[in-house]
Amino acid sequence: MKYQSDSPNFDRDNFPPPPPGPAYPGDKTSWLPPGQSHSPHWKASIDLNGPDDRRNRTPTEVDQRNGYHNRKPHGHDYGPQSSQAPFDTQTVVPIYHVPYPLGKESHNGFVPATTSELQQEYKPHPQKLYRSSIAIKPPPTFRPVPVNDNDSMPRPAPPTVPPKPFKDTRVFEDVDTHAVEVSKEDHKSFRELVWHLIYARDITNELEKARAIFLWLCSKDLAKLNFDNVRRGSPEEILMQLQSGQTTYAVVYEILCSYAHLHCKTLTGYAKGAEYKPGMRFTGEQGQHSWNAVLVNGAWRLVDCHWAARRLVGKQVTVENIRYELDEYYFMPDPHQLIFTHYPDDANWQLLERSIALTDFENLVPVKSAFFKYGLQILGHREAVIHTKQEITIRIGCPQFKAHSLAFTFTLAYSSGKEEYHGMKLNRFGMQEMIDNVSFFTIRPPEKASYRLIIYGKDLDQATREGVYGGVCEYELVCDDHPDHSQSFPPCVHTSWGPGDSHAKYGLVPLQKGAIFSTVRGLAEVRFQMPKELRFTAKLKSNDRDEKSLAGFVMNRIVGDVAVFTVNAPARGEYGLEIYANDPDIDGNSLYHAFQYLIICDEPVLGAVEPLPGLPPGFLGPQPAFSRFGIVAASHVDPYIQTESGEVQIAISMSQQLLRVTSQLSYASDDRSEDLSDYVLQQSRGNLVVFLLKLTRPGLYKFQIYALPFHDASENLPAVYNYLINCTETRAALVPYPRQYGQWKEGCYLYEPLDGRLHPVDGAGNGTDFPLILFRLEVPKAIAVAVIIGDQWTQLEQQASGPWEGEISLERHWGRESKVAVCANFTSVKSTNYSTLLEYTI
């Protein structure tokens, strides 16, 4: 069988910068409605901020009012890199505690709010608004007019309504369809664009306007943006400058919002974008970015079209790594979340109950949008930079209802970007495990240095692009001293321990928590509930031994509907247990990585540990024919048996039909395979078959049961159940059982004599040197049963349709004969055709 393990692809949730250029077109004149004159800034010229009273203000005051400071224009507007969760941030970042949808608490839960319209969740317009035919070309009388900022606008303040005015972006399905259709059209002028996007469908809802503009800007192929007549300072020119990087998404979004009669501000400040590293300090132009605040239904909402439109895949900020994909998180995110990546120059535009300082912003753990989408929490180590001198563990929590579907992994590298330590990947010095709804990331720094830890996650319930992991948060780890002893984790296929990517495919349910187990007397065991019949194999990995030499120290078996994996540690140390699964119905001969565990043996191992015999995958436990024939394990459901007496009784029952049954016992220790089937006595009574086993010396034994229906005349019986028996001590007699022939195994039962070797002292003890030996046995359907020694036949008598009995003397045969046979006649009284059932030696 082949092994397949899909290593995770990493989708860095970073965004690329737009083409280089100033953030604002401050040196351009503007297109104005008839009757208005040009002035240096388009925004002031079209009166988006009220009367132009520049003569009574300083240049800084005017620029600040227009949404940007009187300082050197931004150079590069890089996209998102990471930020931290809004959870448990003490008093630095206030948390919006009102649950969604808005309501007040009661002992029975939340009572729907009935106050103002602002607190009502958005509901889409009737579909006919977006499904009816429209005129793409504007009427001759249509003249777009920007919003009048003379209208009273609320000051920037935290929303008094839920952080997001909608639960799910799917409510915008019709609006989004319309915006995407508009983005595919070529418009000759800004006038035609505004008409088609907003007014052709008579969109009056402010949230739908803001959404339509957002999606058009994020989905429009800027390379195909073109207008017939681009005048200096016109909106057409400003939109075209987005192609060349001379303006920003934020400026374009503000222009479009203004002509949709939405109040919108361009916010400037710092953002933790693609080139941000944990602990980085923001000064000057480094990390400068721009985004928007749009007024919707009386509440200011935050929007970042730039970060929503593009992302970075990979670790380098290059053109090749740019991907145009929509990240809807950046449409009106919760201000308590966006503060972890966006820090506005004007603290009022944080829209928080209590604003935070720049130093607090710099110290926050960088997180990405996926962090909030998954509802994650940082349960410890909230600072972006962690100092340590030894092993350290970072904990990230997730919602309980998502614990089954969220998967995590990570990358570890030096801060310089180097990813290896003495030729070994640094990822080997980290591990991730999931316990309940908390993910643990344990890092063992190999030396005194600074490291970059990036944590990734994905939702297995969602069809993510190419099934890749997306970044969720990032740390800088500083090891301030040389660790006393820091070893890498065992060389397993994944850095994530516990469930693998394929575990959900097989529906396996672990019967233990966590991914780390310690041995007890050298043994450790993990178990899984199976929904159906599956096949497995397991591998053991160690830093000190090769995989082949460890093959004999791990065993897997099926116990009922439970798969059991046992590790017998050969020495003190750490071991990685890899478990592979196969569904015969769909996987063919391929096995897929399903689970991975860390086994720690921190106790002395006395003496040499004997490895298990080489067993093929799926050897132990029921075989395919077991359930097909209707067989049930009546005594030992667990195919691994331990005994200190050397005597074992194993029973099976047949629930559907009587079968021909046989078995084989072999000694399997010391790389030997010795047949000891003479030490097995098969007894049958009705539908129950019992095997009496004598284990003559300590060691490992394989016991295999074979069966076939009576109507099948084949001489090859398939295996139905396989056992492995560990005999630590034995008190069993070294005398084998009598040899059993085919017809004995068809329902016969022996009471005595049980030993296969007959001695003069055997028998009832009548005081003679050669006592009589009692033969007593059941032979269903037999007409006659005889004991034959040489040419002497002794017929046994049947007791009232019960056992056949008779006494035999060995005196005349001692030293002359060596065999005693028990035979039966199954045909007629007159027949002389007897079949041999048992054979003894004298």
Side-chain angles (χ1 to χ4, degrees):
M1 294 187 177
K2 62 182 181 179
Y3 302 100
Q4 297 187 5
S5 176
D6 299 327
S7 299
N9 299 312
F10 299 120
D11 185 2
R12 299 263 335 271
D13 198 11
N14 298 334
F15 291 62
Y24 305 106
D27 58 343
K28 305 296 183 181
T29 58
S30 304
W31 170 82
L32 305 175
Q36 295 190 10
S37 59
H38 295 281
S39 64
H41 296 281
W42 76 267
K43 187 173 183 182
S45 302
I46 58 178
D47 197 27
L48 291 180
N49 281 299
D52 188 0
D53 52 356
R54 290 170 179 267
R55 291 170 295 180
N56 299 323
R57 298 171 184 252
T58 65
T60 300
E61 288 175 320
V62 174
D63 289 342
Q64 287 176 338
R65 243 183 120 214
N66 289 332
Y68 36 87
H69 292 286
N70 183 22
R71 64 184 183 189
K72 186 175 179 180
H74 300 177
H76 296 280
D77 189 10
Y78 290 103
Q81 166 73 0
S82 43
S83 66
Q84 187 211 341
F87 305 97
D88 203 8
T89 55
Q90 300 176 358
T91 58
V92 177
V93 182
I95 303 175
Y96 190 86
H97 292 290
V98 180
Y100 191 81
L102 187 65
K104 59 183 180 180
E105 289 193 54
S106 72
H107 67 280
N108 292 324
F110 291 97
V111 179
T114 57
T115 54
S116 68
E117 182 181 356
L118 297 180
Q119 295 177 335
Q120 302 302 317
E121 184 190 348
Y122 163 76
K123 294 182 180 180
H125 277 290
Q127 290 187 352
K128 64 180 181 180
L129 178 67
Y130 291 98
R131 303 296 173 86
S132 59
S133 60
I134 59 172
I136 295 180
K137 300 296 182 182
T141 57
F142 174 72
R143 291 290 184 271
V145 178
V147 71
N148 186 355
D149 275 356
N150 286 329
D151 298 340
S152 61
M153 290 187 298
R155 296 175 58 83
T160 59
V161 294
K164 293 175 76 73
F166 53 89
K167 288 183 179 179
D168 195 315
T169 55
R170 285 177 292 185
V171 299
F172 298 119
E173 179 181 0
D174 293 326
V175 185
D176 292 351
T177 300
H178 167 69
V180 171
E181 289 176 350
V182 175
S183 71
K184 296 177 181 178
E185 293 290 335
D186 295 327
H187 300 93
K188 296 181 179 181
S189 66
F190 181 78
R191 172 175 169 266
E192 287 188 5
L193 169 61
V194 172
W195 165 264
H196 191 187
L197 184 60
I198 302 297
Y199 297 100
R201 291 203 177 276
D202 193 23
I203 303 176
T204 58
N205 182 283
E206 292 182 344
L207 182 57
E208 291 184 351
K209 289 181 181 180
R211 176 69 180 188
I213 296 170
F214 166 82
L215 199 65
W216 177 88
L217 187 54
C218 293
S219 57
K220 181 64 179 179
D221 186 351
L222 299 180
K224 297 180 180 179
L225 183 64
N226 193 28
F227 299 107
D228 287 351
N229 184 16
V230 180
R231 292 188 295 166
R232 184 177 178 82
S234 66
E236 284 91 345
E237 183 189 45
I238 296 175
L239 264 66
M240 293 297 295
Q241 287 172 344
L242 195 57
Q243 292 178 336
S244 58
Q246 294 176 279
T247 192
T248 64
Y249 280 84
V251 170
V252 173
Y253 187 77
E254 182 178 352
I255 293 174
L256 289 168
C257 284
S258 177
Y259 282 89
H261 279 255
L262 292 175
H263 292 287
C264 184
K265 297 289 185 181
T266 294
L267 309 180
T268 62
Y270 295 113
K272 296 177 180 179
E275 294 190 341
Y276 173 80
K277 302 295 185 296
M280 182 182 293
R281 301 302 172 187
F282 291 99
T283 57
E285 297 181 17
Q286 185 179 35
Q288 290 182 356
H289 183 56
S290 62
W291 60 102
N292 297 101
V294 58
L295 188 64
V296 173
N297 297 330
W300 287 105
R301 305 291 184 178
L302 301 174
V303 176
D304 191 337
C305 294
H306 179 197
W307 282 23
R310 298 190 287 181
R311 68 191 305 177
L312 184 70
V313 177
K315 297 184 178 180
Q316 302 298 324
V317 184
T318 62
V319 175
E320 292 77 12
N321 287 340
I322 293 176
R323 301 288 169 84
Y324 290 87
E325 295 178 347
L326 179 65
D327 189 342
E328 297 184 273
Y329 169 79
Y330 294 102
F331 179 68
M332 301 185 181
D334 183 346
H336 302 85
Q337 298 177 353
L338 196 67
I339 189 59
F340 290 90
T341 51
H342 292 60
Y343 187 86
D345 294 325
D346 185 346
N348 291 323
W349 286 109
Q350 294 178 18
L351 301 184
L352 300 176
E353 295 85 350
R354 182 177 178 182
S355 61
I356 69 171
L358 179 59
T359 53
D360 296 324
F361 172 74
E362 292 169 336
N363 290 331
L364 293 176
V365 175
V367 302
K368 313 249 179 117
S369 62
F371 188 96
F372 301 111
K373 293 175 185 176
Y374 298 153
L376 304 182
Q377 299 184 48
I378 291 179
L379 303 179
H381 300 294
R382 303 175 183 89
E383 303 79 13
V385 180
I386 301 175
H387 290 266
T388 184
K389 295 182 180 179
Q390 56 189 355
E391 178 180 297
I392 190 170
T393 298
I394 296 169
R395 296 176 297 128
I396 294 181
C398 69
Q400 190 70 47
F401 72 93
K402 294 296 294 180
H404 73 285
S405 64
L406 288 178
F408 296 92
T409 188
F410 67 91
T411 58
L412 184 66
Y414 290 102
S415 295
S416 63
K418 181 182 174 183
E419 298 179 344
E420 292 187 351
Y421 170 75
H422 293 173
M424 181 186 298
K425 288 289 186 180
L426 278 175
N427 280 8
R428 288 274 309 278
F429 292 88
M431 74 166 290
Q432 180 271 332
E433 68 166 329
M434 193 83 170
I435 301 179
D436 294 330
N437 63 326
V438 178
S439 184
F440 295 79
F441 298 84
T442 301
I443 306 298
R444 298 171 173 173
E447 63 176 338
K448 181 180 180 181
S450 293
Y451 304 86
R452 186 182 184 190
L453 171 67
I454 303 177
I455 296 174
Y456 303 86
K458 71 175 178 179
D459 190 344
L460 302 177
D461 287 343
Q462 297 179 0
T464 55
R465 184 179 60 83
E466 300 173 359
V468 299
Y469 285 82
V472 294
C473 64
E474 182 176 345
Y475 287 91
E476 180 183 5
L477 305 181
V478 181
C479 185
D480 298 316
D481 201 354
H482 295 286
D484 295 334
H485 176 69
S486 183
Q487 67 172 351
S488 63
F489 289 94
C492 290
V493 296
H494 288 311
T495 56
S496 295
W497 300 68
D501 286 345
S502 297
H503 86 279
K505 168 184 176 183
Y506 299 108
L508 294 168
V509 179
L511 299 182
Q512 57 281 316
K513 291 184 178 181
I516 304 177
F517 300 99
S518 295
T519 60
V520 177
R521 289 183 293 181
L523 295 175
E525 198 166 80
V526 293
R527 294 171 174 255
F528 305 91
Q529 195 84 35
M530 299 187 306
K532 59 175 296 187
E533 182 179 329
L534 299 170
R535 292 186 291 177
F536 298 94
T537 191
K539 295 182 178 182
L540 205 59
K541 303 287 186 71
S542 169
N543 288 324
D544 304 321
R545 300 171 179 240
D546 63 85
E547 180 183 324
K548 185 176 180 180
S549 68
L550 291 172
F553 298 98
V554 59
M555 168 181 62
N556 71 278
R557 61 197 189 273
I558 305 299
V559 182
D561 60 350
V562 175
V564 183
F565 298 81
T566 302
V567 173
N568 190 9
R572 186 192 296 262
E574 293 183 343
Y575 301 88
L577 173 63
E578 295 176 358
I579 297 173
Y580 294 81
N582 166 275
D583 185 341
D585 296 334
I586 60 176
D587 291 337
N589 291 325
S590 298
L591 290 111
Y592 294 88
H593 184 274
F595 288 88
Q596 182 172 295
Y597 291 93
L598 179 65
I599 309 298
I600 300 176
C601 180
D602 198 22
E603 55 187 348
V605 177
L606 302 178
V609 179
E610 181 182 1
L612 299 172
L615 303 176
F619 174 83
L620 292 179
Q623 304 302 298
F626 183 78
S627 58
R628 189 169 70 247
F629 292 163
I631 305 174
V632 177
S635 62
H636 296 76
V637 179
D638 190 338
Y640 180 61
I641 301 174
Q642 299 190 72
T643 177
E644 296 179 353
S645 68
E647 295 181 345
V648 180
Q649 292 189 20
I650 297 174
I652 63 171
S653 64
M654 296 165 281
S655 61
Q656 297 179 5
Q657 57 184 324
L658 294 180
L659 305 168
R660 288 189 291 150
V661 180
T662 189
S663 64
Q664 182 180 26
L665 177 67
S666 57
Y667 184 74
S669 283
D670 305 326
D671 294 326
R672 297 166 59 185
S673 181
E674 179 183 352
D675 188 6
L676 297 176
S677 297
D678 287 344
Y679 292 86
V680 179
L681 174 62
Q682 180 173 323
Q683 305 271 55
S684 302
R685 181 167 289 166
N687 64 344
L688 188 70
V689 179
V690 180
F691 302 91
L692 307 182
L693 279 64
K694 292 181 181 180
L695 309 178
T696 58
R697 57 185 182 272
L700 296 171
Y701 294 79
K702 290 189 293 184
F703 180 63
Q704 299 173 265
I705 302 174
Y706 304 84
L708 198 66
F710 278 108
H711 62 75
D712 192 328
S714 174
E715 295 183 359
N716 296 320
L717 279 65
V720 293
Y721 211 100
N722 297 329
Y723 288 92
L724 180 67
I725 305 173
N726 183 8
C727 179
T728 56
E729 297 180 31
T730 183
R731 297 188 297 272
L734 300 182
V735 179
Y737 289 109
R739 184 178 182 183
Q740 301 136 65
Y741 288 84
Q743 286 190 282
W744 172 261
K745 299 178 180 181
E746 297 179 4
C748 300
Y749 192 95
L750 177 65
Y751 294 99
E752 55 184 319
L754 295 180
D755 284 350
R757 294 176 184 172
L758 303 179
H759 299 276
V761 295
D762 293 342
N766 58 4
T768 66
D769 291 336
F770 291 92
L772 297 176
I773 297 176
L774 176 64
F775 281 78
R776 186 167 181 262
L777 60 156
E778 292 182 4
V779 185
K781 300 181 181 180
I783 296 175
V785 177
V787 176
I788 304 172
I789 308 176
D791 57 0
Q792 179 182 347
W793 287 55
T794 302
Q795 295 287 339
L796 303 182
E797 297 181 359
Q798 188 174 21
Q799 304 298 318
S801 301
W804 296 83
E805 295 182 3
E807 292 182 335
I808 306 297
S809 174
L810 297 180
E811 182 175 3
R812 59 175 293 195
H813 306 293
W814 186 255
R816 298 172 55 190
E817 302 292 343
S818 62
K819 301 292 183 182
V820 176
V822 179
C823 303
N825 177 6
F826 294 96
T827 56
S828 67
V829 176
K830 298 180 179 181
S831 175
T832 59
N833 185 13
Y834 279 71
S835 300
T836 302
L837 302 179
L838 300 172
E839 185 178 87
Y840 295 82
T841 60
I842 300 177

